[in-house]
Short mmCIF file of all heavy atoms in Angstrom, two decimals:
data_model
loop_
_atom_site.label_atom_id
_atom_site.label_comp_id
_atom_site.label_asym_id
_atom_site.label_seq_id
_atom_site.Cartn_x
_atom_site.Cartn_y
_atom_site.Cartn_z
N MET A 1 -103.54 -33.37 37.37
CA MET A 1 -103.87 -33.81 36.05
C MET A 1 -105.07 -34.77 35.98
O MET A 1 -106.01 -34.65 35.17
CB MET A 1 -102.64 -34.42 35.32
CG MET A 1 -102.87 -34.90 33.91
SD MET A 1 -103.18 -33.34 32.99
CE MET A 1 -103.24 -33.89 31.37
N ARG A 2 -105.13 -35.71 37.00
CA ARG A 2 -106.24 -36.65 36.97
C ARG A 2 -107.53 -35.95 37.34
O ARG A 2 -108.58 -36.26 36.82
CB ARG A 2 -105.85 -37.68 38.11
CG ARG A 2 -106.95 -38.85 38.22
CD ARG A 2 -106.80 -39.81 37.25
NE ARG A 2 -107.64 -40.91 37.42
CZ ARG A 2 -108.24 -41.56 36.56
NH1 ARG A 2 -108.07 -41.19 35.31
NH2 ARG A 2 -109.08 -42.51 36.97
N LYS A 3 -107.53 -34.89 38.16
CA LYS A 3 -108.73 -34.16 38.51
C LYS A 3 -109.27 -33.49 37.32
O LYS A 3 -110.36 -33.42 37.10
CB LYS A 3 -108.46 -33.22 39.70
CG LYS A 3 -108.30 -33.90 41.00
CD LYS A 3 -107.91 -32.84 42.05
CE LYS A 3 -107.81 -33.49 43.34
NZ LYS A 3 -107.42 -32.53 44.48
N ILE A 4 -108.37 -32.81 36.43
CA ILE A 4 -108.78 -32.21 35.20
C ILE A 4 -109.52 -33.19 34.38
O ILE A 4 -110.47 -32.78 33.74
CB ILE A 4 -107.57 -31.52 34.65
CG1 ILE A 4 -107.06 -30.34 35.49
CG2 ILE A 4 -107.96 -30.95 33.26
CD1 ILE A 4 -105.81 -29.75 35.01
N GLN A 5 -108.93 -34.31 34.17
CA GLN A 5 -109.45 -35.43 33.23
C GLN A 5 -110.91 -35.75 33.75
O GLN A 5 -111.85 -35.87 32.88
CB GLN A 5 -108.63 -36.52 33.16
CG GLN A 5 -107.36 -36.39 32.40
CD GLN A 5 -106.41 -37.62 32.54
OE1 GLN A 5 -106.46 -38.47 33.48
NE2 GLN A 5 -105.65 -37.78 31.47
N ILE A 6 -111.18 -35.87 35.09
CA ILE A 6 -112.45 -36.28 35.61
C ILE A 6 -113.44 -35.10 35.32
O ILE A 6 -114.58 -35.34 34.91
CB ILE A 6 -112.21 -36.60 37.16
CG1 ILE A 6 -111.46 -37.98 37.29
CG2 ILE A 6 -113.66 -36.72 37.75
CD1 ILE A 6 -111.15 -38.35 38.73
N VAL A 7 -113.02 -33.92 35.61
CA VAL A 7 -113.93 -32.77 35.47
C VAL A 7 -114.26 -32.64 33.89
O VAL A 7 -115.42 -32.39 33.58
CB VAL A 7 -113.28 -31.39 35.93
CG1 VAL A 7 -113.96 -30.20 35.45
CG2 VAL A 7 -113.03 -31.40 37.40
N LEU A 8 -113.38 -32.85 33.07
CA LEU A 8 -113.64 -32.80 31.65
C LEU A 8 -114.60 -33.94 31.18
O LEU A 8 -115.57 -33.70 30.43
CB LEU A 8 -112.32 -32.87 30.80
CG LEU A 8 -111.46 -31.64 30.73
CD1 LEU A 8 -110.27 -31.86 29.96
CD2 LEU A 8 -112.19 -30.50 30.10
N LEU A 9 -114.30 -35.13 31.77
CA LEU A 9 -115.30 -36.23 31.40
C LEU A 9 -116.68 -36.00 31.88
O LEU A 9 -117.68 -36.26 31.26
CB LEU A 9 -114.67 -37.53 32.14
CG LEU A 9 -115.52 -38.75 31.91
CD1 LEU A 9 -115.59 -39.20 30.46
CD2 LEU A 9 -115.05 -39.85 32.80
N LEU A 10 -116.78 -35.38 33.11
CA LEU A 10 -118.08 -35.00 33.59
C LEU A 10 -118.86 -33.97 32.76
O LEU A 10 -120.04 -34.14 32.45
CB LEU A 10 -118.05 -34.51 35.04
CG LEU A 10 -117.73 -35.66 36.15
CD1 LEU A 10 -117.38 -34.86 37.51
CD2 LEU A 10 -118.80 -36.57 36.27
N ILE A 11 -118.09 -32.94 32.35
CA ILE A 11 -118.67 -31.87 31.47
C ILE A 11 -119.06 -32.59 30.10
O ILE A 11 -120.22 -32.25 29.69
CB ILE A 11 -117.70 -30.86 31.30
CG1 ILE A 11 -117.50 -30.04 32.59
CG2 ILE A 11 -118.10 -29.86 30.17
CD1 ILE A 11 -116.35 -29.10 32.50
N VAL A 12 -118.25 -33.41 29.56
CA VAL A 12 -118.57 -34.01 28.26
C VAL A 12 -119.76 -34.90 28.30
O VAL A 12 -120.68 -34.89 27.56
CB VAL A 12 -117.34 -34.67 27.61
CG1 VAL A 12 -117.77 -35.56 26.42
CG2 VAL A 12 -116.29 -33.73 27.09
N SER A 13 -119.88 -35.64 29.46
CA SER A 13 -120.93 -36.61 29.65
C SER A 13 -122.16 -35.86 29.85
O SER A 13 -123.25 -36.24 29.40
CB SER A 13 -120.70 -37.60 30.74
OG SER A 13 -120.71 -36.98 31.99
N GLN A 14 -122.14 -34.74 30.57
CA GLN A 14 -123.34 -33.96 30.85
C GLN A 14 -123.90 -33.41 29.49
O GLN A 14 -125.09 -33.31 29.27
CB GLN A 14 -123.02 -32.73 31.78
CG GLN A 14 -124.16 -32.15 32.30
CD GLN A 14 -125.11 -33.03 33.24
OE1 GLN A 14 -124.68 -34.06 33.70
NE2 GLN A 14 -126.30 -32.54 33.49
N ILE A 15 -122.93 -32.86 28.64
CA ILE A 15 -123.38 -32.40 27.36
C ILE A 15 -124.02 -33.53 26.42
O ILE A 15 -125.04 -33.41 25.85
CB ILE A 15 -122.19 -31.74 26.57
CG1 ILE A 15 -121.85 -30.47 27.37
CG2 ILE A 15 -122.58 -31.38 25.21
CD1 ILE A 15 -120.51 -29.89 26.93
N MET A 16 -123.34 -34.63 26.44
CA MET A 16 -123.82 -35.76 25.55
C MET A 16 -125.18 -36.35 26.04
O MET A 16 -125.87 -36.82 25.25
CB MET A 16 -122.75 -36.85 25.57
CG MET A 16 -121.48 -36.38 24.71
SD MET A 16 -120.23 -37.72 24.77
CE MET A 16 -121.08 -39.02 24.02
N PHE A 17 -125.34 -36.47 27.24
CA PHE A 17 -126.56 -37.16 27.83
C PHE A 17 -127.58 -36.36 28.51
O PHE A 17 -128.45 -36.81 29.21
CB PHE A 17 -126.06 -38.32 28.84
CG PHE A 17 -125.15 -39.18 28.17
CD1 PHE A 17 -123.76 -39.28 28.48
CD2 PHE A 17 -125.50 -40.07 27.23
CE1 PHE A 17 -122.84 -40.17 27.83
CE2 PHE A 17 -124.64 -41.04 26.59
CZ PHE A 17 -123.30 -40.95 26.85
N SER A 18 -127.59 -34.99 28.24
CA SER A 18 -128.53 -34.18 28.88
C SER A 18 -129.81 -34.07 27.94
O SER A 18 -129.85 -34.56 26.85
CB SER A 18 -127.87 -32.81 29.14
OG SER A 18 -127.56 -32.21 27.98
N GLN A 19 -130.81 -33.36 28.54
CA GLN A 19 -131.87 -33.16 27.73
C GLN A 19 -131.74 -32.27 26.56
O GLN A 19 -130.76 -31.55 26.60
CB GLN A 19 -133.03 -32.53 28.65
CG GLN A 19 -132.62 -31.13 29.01
CD GLN A 19 -133.76 -30.44 29.90
OE1 GLN A 19 -134.78 -31.12 30.05
NE2 GLN A 19 -133.55 -29.33 30.30
N VAL A 20 -132.46 -32.47 25.60
CA VAL A 20 -132.46 -31.65 24.43
C VAL A 20 -133.10 -30.18 24.60
O VAL A 20 -134.06 -30.11 25.45
CB VAL A 20 -133.14 -32.28 23.13
CG1 VAL A 20 -132.26 -33.60 22.79
CG2 VAL A 20 -134.56 -32.53 23.39
N LYS A 21 -132.65 -29.31 23.87
CA LYS A 21 -133.32 -27.98 24.00
C LYS A 21 -134.70 -27.94 23.40
O LYS A 21 -134.92 -28.77 22.48
CB LYS A 21 -132.35 -26.87 23.31
CG LYS A 21 -131.08 -26.77 23.90
CD LYS A 21 -130.20 -25.75 23.22
CE LYS A 21 -128.80 -25.70 23.88
NZ LYS A 21 -127.94 -24.73 23.09
N ASN A 22 -135.54 -26.97 23.86
CA ASN A 22 -136.81 -26.94 23.35
C ASN A 22 -136.90 -26.45 21.85
O ASN A 22 -137.93 -26.50 21.24
CB ASN A 22 -137.80 -26.10 24.12
CG ASN A 22 -137.43 -24.67 24.29
OD1 ASN A 22 -136.48 -24.29 23.75
ND2 ASN A 22 -138.14 -24.03 25.19
N THR A 23 -135.83 -26.06 21.25
CA THR A 23 -135.79 -25.74 19.93
C THR A 23 -135.20 -26.89 18.96
O THR A 23 -135.27 -26.79 17.76
CB THR A 23 -134.84 -24.56 19.74
OG1 THR A 23 -133.49 -24.82 20.21
CG2 THR A 23 -135.32 -23.20 20.29
N ASP A 24 -134.79 -28.06 19.58
CA ASP A 24 -134.25 -29.21 19.01
C ASP A 24 -135.47 -29.91 18.23
O ASP A 24 -136.59 -29.92 18.66
CB ASP A 24 -133.65 -30.08 19.98
CG ASP A 24 -132.78 -31.28 19.27
OD1 ASP A 24 -133.50 -32.23 19.03
OD2 ASP A 24 -131.70 -31.00 19.06
N GLU A 25 -135.19 -30.50 17.05
CA GLU A 25 -136.10 -31.28 16.29
C GLU A 25 -136.76 -32.39 17.18
O GLU A 25 -137.95 -32.64 17.05
CB GLU A 25 -135.39 -31.80 15.04
CG GLU A 25 -136.40 -31.84 13.82
CD GLU A 25 -137.28 -30.63 13.53
OE1 GLU A 25 -136.74 -29.41 13.48
OE2 GLU A 25 -138.40 -30.83 13.52
N LEU A 26 -136.02 -32.98 17.93
CA LEU A 26 -136.47 -34.15 18.77
C LEU A 26 -137.54 -33.58 19.75
O LEU A 26 -138.57 -34.29 20.03
CB LEU A 26 -135.39 -34.93 19.50
CG LEU A 26 -135.72 -36.03 20.22
CD1 LEU A 26 -136.49 -37.20 19.34
CD2 LEU A 26 -134.65 -36.83 20.92
N TYR A 27 -137.23 -32.42 20.37
CA TYR A 27 -138.20 -31.86 21.24
C TYR A 27 -139.58 -31.65 20.65
O TYR A 27 -140.61 -31.78 21.13
CB TYR A 27 -137.59 -30.58 21.88
CG TYR A 27 -138.48 -30.04 22.94
CD1 TYR A 27 -138.10 -30.40 24.34
CD2 TYR A 27 -139.48 -29.05 22.69
CE1 TYR A 27 -138.86 -29.88 25.38
CE2 TYR A 27 -140.21 -28.56 23.78
CZ TYR A 27 -139.93 -28.88 25.03
OH TYR A 27 -140.65 -28.47 26.09
N LYS A 28 -139.39 -30.99 19.33
CA LYS A 28 -140.61 -30.64 18.57
C LYS A 28 -141.39 -31.92 18.28
O LYS A 28 -142.61 -31.98 18.32
CB LYS A 28 -140.26 -29.93 17.38
CG LYS A 28 -139.68 -28.49 17.61
CD LYS A 28 -139.24 -27.85 16.32
CE LYS A 28 -138.51 -26.49 16.61
NZ LYS A 28 -137.94 -25.97 15.44
#
């Protein structure tokens, strides 16, 4: 269970703190 929580945390943090897409308003 602990491993699943860590993996989910890593996935969520990657989504939240990754670069924006080149179609995003901030990129433009």
Side-chain angles (χ1 to χ4, degrees):
M1 183 65 173
R2 182 82 173 138
K3 288 182 183 178
I4 293 173
Q5 288 174 331
I6 291 172
V7 169
L8 286 175
L9 179 63
L10 289 173
I11 291 170
V12 169
S13 66
Q14 194 66 14
I15 292 168
M16 289 177 57
F17 300 109
S18 62
Q19 69 178 355
V20 298
K21 294 178 183 177
N22 62 3
T23 55
D24 190 272
E25 212 46 52
L26 185 60
Y27 188 93
K28 292 175 186 176

